[in-house]
Amino acid sequence: MFSLESSTNELLSLAKAQLLRALHQHKTKPYLPIWGELYTSLRDIVRHGQQWKEDVLVYPMRPTGTLWYLYKDNHFLADLPDPGITISMTREQLLEALLKGSFPPLYSEDRSIEG
């Protein structure tokens, strides 16, 4: 039987995978446009968090840290434990930071992130 929850989790996984693919593409071929793919991925992550009223782990960052979407604040949060810094950003601020190469993912697009 088709489940709405599994469908929503699958859409979240697809959004995360699209985000990682776009970031990898930007790293290897910076001359290709990826703004739309990043925006769409982040929008879908926000929708999931708001719909299910849960914080979403976007991806682990390199070398240490995690990128989260916090649904209550409607912000993204880069948690960097090594220096003990947390950075709160709107979707647009995160998009600009990702395009500049900030907050790189720990995994390449070849490896999926569970969750």
Side-chain angles (χ1 to χ4, degrees):
M1 170 136 187
F2 184 71
S3 165
L4 180 60
E5 185 174 338
S6 65
S7 172
T8 307
N9 287 336
E10 190 174 309
L11 291 174
L12 177 60
S13 295
L14 289 172
K16 289 179 182 184
Q18 179 181 352
L19 179 66
L20 291 175
R21 275 193 305 276
L23 291 172
H24 178 74
Q25 178 182 350
H26 186 60
K27 184 177 178 182
T28 58
K29 299 177 182 180
Y31 49 87
L32 294 177
I34 62 159
W35 189 93
E37 292 163 71
L38 291 178
Y39 182 84
T40 302
S41 300
L42 295 176
R43 181 196 62 202
D44 292 343
I45 290 167
V46 167
R47 281 184 182 169
H48 176 87
Q50 290 177 344
Q51 179 180 4
W52 291 96
K53 298 192 183 327
E54 65 181 11
D55 295 338
V56 178
L57 171 63
V58 180
Y59 59 75
M61 293 186 301
R62 186 179 60 232
T64 62
T66 49
L67 183 63
W68 290 87
Y69 170 69
L70 305 178
Y71 83 96
K72 286 183 181 177
D73 300 331
N74 193 27
H75 275 80
F76 287 88
L77 182 78
D79 183 21
L80 308 165
D82 188 20
I85 297 173
T86 56
I87 302 169
S88 180
M89 300 162 278
T90 65
R91 183 180 356 179
E92 293 76 16
Q93 290 170 327
L94 176 60
L95 183 63
E96 291 299 318
L98 292 175
L99 288 171
K100 292 178 183 176
S102 300
F103 315 118
L106 180 61
Y107 302 113
S108 71
E109 93 286 359
D110 300 337
R111 297 178 59 188
S112 65
I113 294 179
E114 301 300 322

